Amino acid sequence: MSLNVLRRLCLFSSEAVRVGRQKRSVITSRSSSSTTSVNGLHCRSAGSGEHALLCIPGALGSTDTDFGPQLEHFGRDGSGYTVVSFDPRGYGRSRPPDKSFQTHPELFLRSDARDAYEVMSALGHERFSVLGWSDGGVAGIFLAATRPDAVRNLVVWGTNAFISDEDIECFKRIENVDNWSKKMLDPLTNVYGSLQNVQAMWSAWVASMVEIHEGGGDMCKEELSRIRCPTLIIHGEKDALLPAEHVDCLQGHIGNVKRIDFPEGKHNVHLRFAEEFNSKVHDFLQFHSCS
């Protein structure tokens, strides 16, 4: 095993404990929130401001687990925002059926992007900004590239546009969820019903990444130059799952882009450093609302 992979695995193990403590957070806020179903997708909305925000979860993620601090902060009374998140098809409460991690003829994340647009359209939001975490960032890239008329701004973190040899080696090393921390697994088993279900879904996700890699490795790299909206890339410098080369790729191929690094940030930077993260996102959105 290479030193880089060892380092990433060690970081992943320590990060998993922290993610278990912070990632799967319950929404308790001063904001009023509501849930609804759109085309079979579970959705949550908070706030009543003019600027609509869409939060797209990462792999195996859901509205209730991935964006508690963002729904609370941006959905609070008087914030100026209406924040929406949804469980991607096959995740969380947007089941049955479970996720289909197809890569052909269309990558499942492109389907998620289309679902995201239809959710916002059904809720009456013709123009909105997108916040995408990890896989949700890939869906956000597809959405911004294909619906420039709808996406005002794009914010992504923990997101990669391609799959490398090192990525595959890392994914395979962490494929067995028996090696994950209890704090990481418990929230997922609560959502998916059993450890066996979590393992089956995670293994299917890993298999889809292997298939993408064997097909050339492109996730959404070809879409990057098509993005026209202002884009903010946030990077946790201690992200065990995302080497800086992926962030450099995004930054180098998107035109109107800004990058912010969190020196102590990991894959869940928006949860561990929620207050600072939300402030940076707000400042970015406000700047481009006024420009």
Side-chain angles (χ1 to χ4, degrees):
M1 188 187 308
S2 70
L3 290 176
N4 281 339
V5 172
L6 280 170
R7 177 177 176 273
R8 291 173 72 179
L9 289 174
C10 289
L11 286 171
F12 178 83
S13 297
S14 61
E15 182 174 325
V17 175
R18 189 178 297 276
V19 171
R21 293 188 185 121
Q22 298 186 14
K23 178 181 176 184
R24 311 296 173 180
S25 55
V26 177
I27 302 165
T28 56
S29 71
R30 293 166 294 173
S31 65
S32 57
S33 65
S34 60
T35 61
T36 189
S37 179
V38 176
N39 297 332
L41 302 174
H42 174 76
C43 308
R44 182 181 291 274
S45 301
S48 57
E50 182 178 351
H51 193 150
L53 303 180
L54 170 65
C55 297
I56 308 179
L60 277 65
S62 64
T63 293
D64 293 334
T65 62
D66 283 14
F67 291 113
Q70 285 65 52
L71 285 160
E72 179 178 349
H73 177 81
F74 292 106
R76 71 189 189 281
D77 295 338
S79 70
Y81 297 99
T82 297
V83 59
V84 177
S85 188
F86 73 105
D87 295 3
R89 194 172 303 279
Y91 286 161
R93 302 189 202 182
S94 296
R95 297 174 302 132
D98 286 339
K99 191 74 168 176
S100 172
F101 294 100
Q102 67 180 29
T103 60
H104 299 291
E106 179 178 72
L107 180 63
F108 65 93
L109 294 168
R110 190 182 287 273
S111 302
D112 288 347
R114 185 168 54 251
D115 279 340
Y117 173 78
E118 292 175 356
V119 163
M120 295 303 277
S121 180
L123 296 177
H125 303 298
E126 295 182 358
R127 293 269 293 165
F128 51 90
S129 295
V130 175
L131 280 65
W133 178 26
S134 197
D135 272 8
V138 179
I141 287 168
F142 282 128
L143 181 53
T146 58
R147 292 287 183 174
D149 56 320
V151 179
R152 297 175 59 176
N153 306 281
L154 175 64
V155 181
V156 298
W157 64 103
T159 296
N160 53 311
F162 63 92
I163 302 296
S164 69
D165 293 345
E166 186 180 358
D167 294 328
I168 292 300
E169 189 174 355
C170 179
F171 297 153
K172 287 184 176 180
R173 296 291 181 184
I174 61 175
E175 182 174 358
N176 187 347
V177 300
D178 287 336
N179 297 326
W180 294 9
S181 72
K182 185 176 184 295
K183 290 183 180 296
M184 181 70 174
L185 281 174
D186 282 353
L188 290 172
T189 54
N190 287 340
V191 170
Y192 294 108
S194 71
L195 179 64
Q196 291 74 22
N197 290 342
V198 174
Q199 181 67 76
M201 185 167 287
W202 179 246
S203 291
W205 182 89
V206 171
S208 72
M209 297 300 108
V210 171
E211 187 173 343
I212 292 168
H213 180 255
E214 291 175 347
D218 182 31
M219 292 271 281
C220 59
K221 192 173 180 179
E222 292 184 359
E223 307 293 330
L224 300 180
S225 63
R226 298 176 58 191
I227 296 174
R228 297 289 177 263
C229 65
T231 301
L232 174 62
I233 303 168
I234 296 177
H235 176 52
E237 293 184 15
K238 294 185 177 180
D239 188 338
L241 303 179
L242 194 82
E245 64 174 330
H246 289 294
V247 186
D248 295 339
C249 174
L250 298 179
Q251 186 177 11
H253 287 82
I254 298 175
N256 186 2
V257 67
K258 177 179 181 180
R259 173 174 171 174
I260 297 176
D261 289 352
F262 280 66
E264 298 300 316
K266 298 182 180 179
H267 201 62
N268 63 332
V269 61
H270 65 303
L271 300 174
R272 183 181 178 192
F273 297 101
E275 184 175 353
E276 184 179 0
F277 178 95
N278 292 340
S279 177
K280 298 292 188 185
V281 170
H282 170 77
D283 291 346
F284 172 79
L285 296 176
Q286 289 301 300
F287 177 82
H288 288 287
S289 292
C290 297
S291 60

